[in-house]
Amino acid sequence: MGSPGRLAVLTSGGDAPGMNSAVWAIIKLAATRGIEVVGVERGYDGLIDGSFRDLTRALPDSGLAPVPGLDWLAATGGTFLGSSRCARFHSVEGRAAAGTALRRVGVDALIVIGGNGSLTGAHLLAGECEVPVIGIPASIDNDIGGTTDAIGVDTALNTIVEACDRLSDTARSHSRAFIVEVMGRNSGFLAMSAAVAVAADAVLLPEQPREEGEVVHELEMLLRRSFSAERGKPRVLILKAEGVPTPTSRLAESLLERVDDLRDVSIRTVTLGHLVRGGHPTFHDRMIAGRMALGAVNAVRDGLSDVMVSWHGGMGRRTPDPLVTIVPLAEMITETQRLRDGSSELTAMRLGLITQVRGVLAL
Ligand code: F6P
């Protein structure tokens, strides 16, 4: 490939705070290198449908600049390009249509910003069409192999901390227990990372599957100890990851039945859900978005394909940025599977840490 003249960028899957910061950085970095940028609307759905919009325009002096009206992007949550969970992209026909659309619009590369499902799609597309594809990890779940951080995780954690602090204020006023469910379909990363920061009393994770009866018994003991006259805790906070199969409401009901004899104990449940996906990206998310965007634009310049830009991943090809490496998307897929099935050292390390502090949390 000669010097790239035009690249496309899309955001896919669950939105994550900092996606816009990454797109903004890509626009400015590409424009200063004389590369035009087109945005794909609604992720892979828009790619298949050929929904493109120009994100750069030519200046009278022959340079390039962002199209007007985007200067607010770096500081905003969500994704202004739109996103989708695209069933059509799962088929070879869907990806062939996407490849045709990319060729029709005349781009030299595609940058995909999204989670492990979106990046797996990017890997398949890279193998099936001639257009080079580069991935940038973004998902609040932090369940993408080969990168320590994905864009959006830090903001989500800060939102969880703020929400739990607020819930603790009201919980303490009534000596209540709260079960707070946080997102993470296949990953307990948000719950386990927030647990210490919010001084939770217990944390339930999909990576540590347990019998429902055993969990209820342990939580009953926790409530009895915590609200005893000797310990006199003002509130109990139980963090539960979405991926734990027992519904939060059932857990609360079972628990309430067990502590029926305790006077004045009440339990409330809160599902933070999508609340945690929105909001202005933190400094950290803006910073890693900008640095990974630089890695991605350089990867386009270097003619790479089928790779992901990684943050502090401890693997892959080095770049001038000491914390940014380039990891083959195939390795990202393998590492993601290992994160999930527990065979990854990272999962073992995280679970080891949380196991060590369980007793401390409960005290
Ligand atoms: O983006 C990941 C995630 O936030 C998961 O934690 C959650 O299960 C899922 O997205 C929710 O997806 P949707 O917005 O499609 O309901």
Side-chain angles (χ1 to χ4, degrees):
M1 188 178 81
S3 300
R6 196 160 210 233
L7 67 81
V9 57
L10 65 79
T11 54
S12 168
D15 54 283
M19 279 181 160
N20 283 341
S21 318
V23 175
W24 178 239
I26 288 167
I27 295 170
K28 292 193 57 163
L29 287 161
T32 51
R33 289 160 168 72
I35 305 171
E36 292 173 10
V37 182
V38 290
V40 184
E41 295 173 323
R42 295 176 292 103
Y44 289 131
D45 257 329
L47 185 57
I48 292 172
D49 297 338
S51 301
F52 297 102
R53 60 189 270 200
D54 288 332
L55 299 179
T56 52
R57 66 171 181 176
L59 293 171
D61 67 359
S62 85
L64 289 170
V67 295
L70 297 182
D71 287 80
W72 47 270
L73 266 190
T76 56
T79 163
F80 83 108
L81 285 174
S83 189
S84 59
R85 300 198 188 273
C86 177
R88 288 184 292 164
F89 203 71
H90 289 256
S91 71
V92 180
E93 294 74 23
R95 294 193 296 275
T100 305
L102 281 173
R103 280 190 300 279
R104 197 176 313 122
V105 78
V107 295
D108 304 294
L110 169 69
I111 298 177
V112 173
I113 305 170
N116 60 51
S118 306
L119 297 177
T120 301
H123 170 62
L124 295 173
L125 184 67
E128 294 166 9
C129 83
E130 304 90 76
V131 178
V133 185
I134 312 289
I136 297 182
S139 163
I140 64 162
D141 290 358
N142 215 20
D143 58 351
I144 304 170
T147 185
T148 302
D149 271 3
I151 293 170
V153 176
D154 187 66
T155 308
L157 281 172
N158 278 291
T159 306
I160 290 171
V161 167
E162 190 188 340
C164 288
D165 285 352
R166 287 172 186 248
L167 291 170
S168 294
D169 286 345
T170 171
R172 276 189 215 102
S173 309
H174 296 267
S175 302
R176 271 182 178 148
F178 269 78
I179 304 177
V180 180
E181 181 181 306
V182 299
M183 270 193 172
R185 194 172 17 211
N186 299 306
S187 165
F189 183 84
L190 290 177
M192 80 174 87
S193 303
V196 172
V198 303
D201 300 271
V203 55
L204 307 177
L205 308 168
E207 290 88 347
Q208 291 183 318
R210 292 154 75 205
E211 291 290 322
E212 189 172 324
E214 187 195 326
V215 173
V216 173
H217 175 72
E218 187 184 299
L219 294 180
E220 175 195 344
M221 292 304 125
L222 175 75
L223 292 194
R224 289 188 182 281
R225 264 197 323 275
S226 302
F227 289 131
S228 66
E230 296 72 40
R231 179 59 182 88
K233 275 192 185 180
R235 69 96 168 99
V236 168
L237 182 63
I238 300 159
L239 272 185
K240 172 182 172 289
E242 177 192 357
V244 172
T246 310
T248 302
S249 54
R250 191 161 84 208
L251 202 55
E253 280 159 25
S254 313
L255 208 46
L256 207 48
E257 277 171 24
R258 299 278 196 112
V259 295
D260 198 31
D261 58 305
L262 293 183
R263 274 188 51 232
D264 299 334
V265 167
S266 56
I267 304 171
R268 296 289 186 269
T269 61
V270 174
T271 299
L272 295 181
H274 291 81
L275 182 82
V276 165
R277 271 216 326 233
H280 297 308
T282 55
F283 159 76
H284 182 77
D285 277 328
R286 298 181 201 197
M287 185 266 296
I288 67 170
R291 286 167 69 174
M292 287 202 280
L294 176 60
V297 173
N298 285 343
V300 170
R301 177 204 59 199
D302 296 343
L304 302 183
S305 181
D306 203 5
V307 294
M308 174 184 85
V309 182
S310 153
W311 180 259
H312 221 332
M315 60 195 289
R317 169 176 161 165
R318 296 165 69 117
T319 72
D321 185 329
L323 293 185
V324 173
T325 53
I326 303 291
V327 175
L329 281 168
E331 279 182 36
M332 178 284 299
I333 294 169
T334 309
E335 285 301 310
T336 298
Q337 189 49 42
R338 295 184 65 224
L339 278 182
R340 265 190 208 174
D341 66 21
S343 62
S344 146
E345 277 171 28
L346 195 55
T347 311
M349 184 273 286
R350 287 171 179 166
L351 291 179
L353 282 177
I354 202 73
T355 304
Q356 277 185 52
V357 300
R358 255 183 214 290
V360 182
L361 293 176
L363 186 64

